[in-house]
Amino acid sequence: MDADARFPLHDRSEVLLAADAARLFAHLDDHRRLSSHMEKRSLMTAGASMRIETDDSNGQAVGSVIRMTGRVLGMQLSLAEIVTAYEPPQRKAWETVGEPQLLVIGGYRMGFEINPVPDGSRLVVFIDYRLPAKGLSLLLGRVLGGAYAAWCTRRMAEDARAVFGVPNPTSNGRPLDEDRQD
């Protein structure tokens, strides 16, 4: 992805998977499955869970809209995303519309890229984001935003690895289950 001044902060997670690009893309293209970590209560979401809704295109076309809503510590959370790139089986990206009501990050562009490798695919999950604009969220974002962004990309990559596993090691002895590349 090209740099974008609207989203100056970045994180990415990378993993090699024992799945061809078409099968992997089809799995990740289900936004509820891809973002399932957001529907589960966890320490990284301060015990909150988000409800995910998609439009009639199910988040599977450029222009498709995805919405998430939830509550944390008595505060309403909400965001809308629009799919901005849709190139099966290589790439999909989406970004927030307007200013999301989140606790530790502001607007963002997120997505994944899939490249074939021997016996599988390389998956890169990325997020380009900015901190919240003001108040307590800005303060929390300065402290926790990077950790939250890393958790999101890592969770998506690890969820895919749990489904597909890693390719068999190559003869050159290089390990194929690389986790993170910053």
Side-chain angles (χ1 to χ4, degrees), residues 21 23 30 35 41 89-90 92 108 115 137 145 154 164 171:
R23 201 167 115 219
D30 179 339
S35 299
R41 296 181 190 279
Q90 292 95 19
K92 182 176 180 178
Y108 60 85
N115 293 297
S137 291
R154 189 172 50 250
F164 296 106
S171 60

Side-chain angles (χ1 to χ4, degrees), residues 24-148:
L24 178 57
F25 189 95
H27 177 81
L28 297 173
D29 197 23
D30 179 339
H31 210 77
R32 277 196 169 79
R33 183 181 301 139
L34 181 66
S35 299
S36 65
H37 62 282
M38 297 299 297
E39 290 187 304
K40 298 173 187 161
R41 296 181 190 279
S42 74
L43 181 61
M44 287 305 291
T45 62
S49 64
M50 301 288 278
R51 182 172 174 223
I52 301 168
E53 298 176 3
T54 60
D55 63 10
D56 291 342
S57 295
N58 295 316
Q60 297 173 330
V62 170
S64 185
V65 176
I66 301 145
R67 296 186 192 291
M68 291 191 221
T69 57
R71 293 187 75 75
V72 64
L73 306 173
M75 296 172 45
Q76 181 70 34
L77 302 178
S78 65
L79 64 94
E81 302 167 325
I82 188 167
V83 176
T84 57
Y86 191 79
E87 302 165 19
Q90 292 95 19
R91 181 172 167 265
K92 182 176 180 178
W94 54 94
E95 66 183 60
T96 52
V97 177
E99 192 58 35
Q101 301 300 308
L102 297 171
L103 203 51
V104 299
I105 65 170
Y108 60 85
R109 174 179 54 203
M110 189 167 203
F112 59 84
E113 296 175 355
I114 300 170
N115 293 297
V117 297
D119 299 320
S121 297
R122 179 180 305 273
L123 170 64
V124 175
V125 181
F126 66 88
I127 185 169
D128 302 317
Y129 64 101
R130 64 179 173 263
L131 295 178
K134 59 185 177 182
L136 178 61
S137 291
L138 175 58
L139 178 63
L140 289 172
R142 286 183 176 152
V143 174
L144 300 171
Y148 179 79

